[in-house]
Amino acid sequence: MLRPVNHLKTGLDMAKAQMDRFTDAQQDLARLAKALSHPARIVILEVLAARKVCLCGEVVDELPLSQATVSQHLKVLKEAGLVSGEIEGARSCYCVDWKSLSQAQDLISTWFKRADDIKRSCC
Amino acid sequence: MLRPVNHLKTGLDMAKAQMDRFTDAQQDLARLAKALSHPARIVILEVLAARKVCLCGEVVDELPLSQATVSQHLKVLKEAGLVSGEIEGARSCYCVDWKSLSQAQDLISTWFKRADDIKRSCC
DNA sequence: ATCGTTTATCGTCTATATACGATAAACCAG
DNA sequence: CTGGTTTATCGTATATAGACGATAAACGAT
């Protein structure tokens, strides 16, 4: 595959250019993985799931992190679509986006399954 | 959960201290996700799987990245255990560690399954 | 209206990730 | 032994991630 001469661009241009070379599926999977790539976010999802009902900043009490940091992690999860949040007055109410989570599960398991099929077809 | 006063420590001490607060399972999953959190590494795994046999730097030809960068991504995958590599003279031969990949699959699907069970038990 | 509570965001700092070119080491071929 | 090939690593630059305290905005309660 042709490789661009990247040192003529800024880092940002570069990163954007690189991304074009990957398929949507590859980028989606990587994005999802990135959202799950910090233990705090794993815990947050677990906490949100366990509480069943949405909950606000009780998440902070479950984590050894400052309120600001937890809020940032929640934002990441929200941007990844794994969590949805509503503002209720002064409070914020988060909950697991089950539909999105199940799509995520599909995405991952499909990818692994395909790899597995390849393995089985040759080894 | 008690939160440490972290601004009295260096960033490194801090990060290490935080990690102690997470379970092994949570950290394992996050580590795995991190290894998969870049599209280049997804592609590399796909390429290695598709070639069936191990292969060396042909991976570079499949990616829009420099040899140095690809080598770094391979190192990340190797450190995560998803890929194994052998040096054969001047060449390096990589291949998917199928056992590790299948464990990874288990780890992930177990986690999602548990979340799903929680959902089903209440909603 | 004022006070306490809650939470998102700002500013900042440090660490890590990502990319590259250059280079050195290890080999193979001649 | 010399020259080409391959690849890991070094050095470097930039971008992103992750943490915090401080603060402002939005409420509810008094």
Side-chain angles (χ1 to χ4, degrees):
Chain A
M1 182 180 280
L2 259 165
R3 215 169 339 111
V5 183
N6 285 320
H7 55 291
L8 299 178
K9 305 182 183 179
T10 73
L12 189 59
D13 287 344
M14 187 183 65
K16 292 254 169 79
Q18 309 283 16
M19 287 309 183
D20 291 341
R21 309 302 190 97
F22 301 113
T23 69
D24 286 349
Q26 287 158 352
Q27 294 189 58
D28 286 347
L29 185 53
R31 253 193 298 271
L32 171 59
K34 196 165 209 167
L36 300 176
S37 71
H38 195 289
R41 289 195 286 273
I42 302 291
V43 176
I44 290 175
L45 286 172
E46 289 173 354
V47 169
L48 289 183
R51 300 262 176 153
K52 292 148 193 161
V53 288
C54 312
L55 95 157
C56 25
E58 297 155 316
V59 186
V60 176
D61 296 334
E62 298 289 329
L63 284 168
L65 295 169
S66 76
Q67 180 267 324
T69 303
V70 171
S71 193
Q72 263 186 329
H73 282 303
L74 279 165
K75 192 181 180 186
V76 173
L77 288 171
K78 207 170 155 185
E79 280 169 357
L82 297 175
V83 151
S84 60
E86 280 183 22
I87 299 173
E88 281 190 5
R91 293 145 188 269
S92 278
C93 202
Y94 288 98
C95 57
V96 174
D97 186 324
W98 290 106
K99 192 175 162 193
S100 167
L101 202 70
S102 124
Q103 285 173 348
Q105 189 175 10
D106 276 354
L107 189 63
I108 294 176
S109 65
T110 300
W111 188 83
F112 273 101
K113 199 175 179 46
R114 193 151 41 86
D116 232 37
D117 288 346
I118 291 174
K119 176 196 171 195
R120 233 178 290 279
S121 77
C122 68
C123 312
Chain B
M1 183 180 280
L2 259 165
R3 215 169 338 111
V5 183
N6 285 321
H7 55 290
L8 300 178
K9 305 184 184 180
T10 72
L12 188 60
D13 288 344
M14 188 183 65
K16 293 254 170 79
Q18 310 282 17
M19 288 309 182
D20 291 341
R21 308 301 188 99
F22 302 114
T23 67
D24 285 349
Q26 287 158 352
Q27 294 189 57
D28 286 347
L29 185 54
R31 253 193 298 270
L32 171 60
K34 196 165 210 170
L36 300 176
S37 71
H38 194 289
R41 290 195 286 273
I42 301 291
V43 176
I44 290 176
L45 286 172
E46 289 173 354
V47 169
L48 289 183
R51 302 263 176 151
K52 290 147 193 164
V53 287
C54 312
L55 95 157
C56 26
E58 295 154 318
V59 186
V60 176
D61 296 333
E62 299 289 330
L63 284 169
L65 295 170
S66 75
Q67 180 267 322
T69 303
V70 172
S71 193
Q72 263 186 327
H73 282 303
L74 279 165
K75 193 180 177 184
V76 172
L77 288 170
K78 207 169 153 187
E79 282 169 355
L82 297 175
V83 152
S84 60
E86 279 183 22
I87 298 172
E88 280 191 5
R91 294 146 186 267
S92 277
C93 203
Y94 289 98
C95 58
V96 174
D97 185 325
W98 291 107
K99 193 176 161 193
S100 166
L101 202 69
S102 125
Q103 285 174 348
Q105 190 174 9
D106 277 353
L107 189 63
I108 293 176
S109 63
T110 300
W111 188 83
F112 273 101
K113 197 175 181 50
R114 193 151 40 88
D116 232 36
D117 288 344
I118 290 173
K119 176 196 170 195
R120 231 178 290 280
S121 76
C122 67
C123 310

